[in-house]
Amino acid sequence: MSENRLKHLALIMDGNGRWAQQRGLRRTEGHKKGAETIRDITKYCSEHPEIETVTFYAFSTENWKRPKYEVDYLMRLLDNYLKNELETYRKYDIKFQVIGDTGAFSKALRHRIEATVEATETHRSLTQILALNYGGRAEIVRAVKKLCNRDEPLTEENITQALQTPYGDVDLLIRTSGEQRLSNFLLWQISYAELTFTDTLWPDFTAEELDTIIEDFKTRKRRFGGI
Ligand code: IPE
Ligand code: IPE
Ligand code: MG
């Protein structure tokens, strides 16, 4: 039996707030620690020969419902993360991409995002995608509108191609913090993804745990409707 190939890994990073609250800290401290986890997991992925793409759910279209100070903190954290990460992207040959509607972000943050995309576009060892102001339904609507405007037929292939960034189907989706739901993440791309839910809160998630989850993924029987 041939092993499952893991080309596209997707992560719903959940539990930052609870991690902080359990320690008597402000929720924002959990986000800060969570950003370090993104760095560790990205490095692990860049050194994993099979993984071509890793997509992190960083901010959903629904996360605007949070208190303004938390949203503002997340925006500042993202700006800082990208500023500090440039060295890591260079050192580990990582290409940075974004999915979601960043039009709602400040001009400065949009500029930082664009500059990081440009600075890393020739990198090849791994593509790291951050889902920012991302919603799976919104992404599908945008794709369908694009096809209608171009008067192209609505086929599965055309929709897949018209998605903001057609990085291909997700092979393995992991959600931390014990919640077992998708929260509007990559709805189209996960139709045959293997799912793993772990109780670990995102700031405590490690490359070792990811390694164990990947080992388990390798042994699963993916049938894609066959027998
Ligand atoms: C995930 O952690 C980070 C974002 C959604 C931005 P949460 O902030 O959702 O943490 P919990 O779920 O409240 O613990
Ligand atoms: C999902 O986490 C979104 C991100 C990880 C960015 P949430 O904490 O926002 O999801 P719900 O509200 O618990 O479903
Ligand atoms: Mg949450």
Side-chain angles (χ1 to χ4, degrees), residues 12-19 21 27 31 57-60 63 66 70 74 175 177 179 181 201-202:
I12 302 179
M13 315 184 272
D14 200 12
N16 291 352
R18 278 164 284 169
W19 182 91
Q21 277 160 345
R27 291 177 51 85
H31 296 314
Y57 203 6
F59 194 85
S60 75
N63 286 146
R66 297 187 178 205
E70 183 167 335
L74 285 167
R175 182 171 188 146
S177 90
E179 310 297 352
R181 54 178 171 263
L201 302 175
W202 178 255

Side-chain angles (χ1 to χ4, degrees), residues 70-211:
E70 183 167 335
V71 172
D72 288 348
Y73 182 88
L74 285 167
M75 299 299 151
R76 279 202 304 281
L77 184 66
L78 174 63
D79 192 56
N80 265 312
Y81 175 83
L82 293 179
K83 188 166 69 188
N84 295 327
E85 260 349 64
L86 210 47
E87 213 183 294
T88 313
Y89 293 138
R90 289 207 176 106
K91 190 166 164 208
Y92 292 83
D93 196 32
I94 297 163
K95 178 179 187 162
F96 167 75
Q97 297 273 290
V98 170
I99 53 173
D101 180 9
T102 53
F105 295 168
S106 73
K107 205 170 156 191
L109 183 53
R110 285 201 316 263
H111 185 76
R112 171 84 66 203
I113 291 169
E114 282 158 23
T116 312
V117 169
E118 254 173 56
T120 63
E121 68 190 349
T122 58
H123 296 177
R124 287 289 173 267
S125 87
L126 175 78
T127 300
Q128 181 212 51
I129 304 172
L130 294 189
L132 300 171
N133 191 21
Y134 176 86
R137 288 183 172 185
E139 187 190 25
I140 294 168
V141 170
R142 280 196 296 271
V144 170
K145 275 188 183 157
K146 218 191 268 180
L147 293 178
C148 292
N149 287 338
R150 292 191 208 136
D151 216 11
E152 281 177 32
L154 293 177
T155 62
E156 288 193 19
E157 283 74 15
N158 284 348
I159 292 177
T160 301
Q161 286 309 313
L163 291 173
Q164 191 175 20
T165 40
Y167 289 103
D169 288 346
V170 171
D171 297 300
L172 174 63
L173 171 76
I174 301 170
R175 182 171 188 146
T176 57
S177 90
E179 310 297 352
Q180 301 193 11
R181 54 178 171 263
L182 301 172
S183 303
N184 202 13
F185 189 42
L186 298 176
L187 299 177
W188 184 270
Q189 299 89 336
I190 57 164
S191 56
Y192 267 104
E194 295 295 322
L195 309 179
T196 294
F197 300 97
T198 167
D199 287 338
T200 306
L201 302 175
W202 178 255
D204 287 331
F205 190 70
T206 59
E208 288 73 35
E209 183 170 359
L210 174 55
D211 208 47

Side-chain angles (χ1 to χ4, degrees), residues 2-8 49-52 171-172 217-218 222:
S2 64
E3 276 192 337
N4 295 320
R5 280 199 66 201
L6 177 55
K7 278 169 68 176
H8 188 177
E50 252 184 20
I51 303 175
E52 293 173 5
D171 297 300
L172 174 63
F217 163 81
K218 291 275 168 192
R222 301 184 80 186

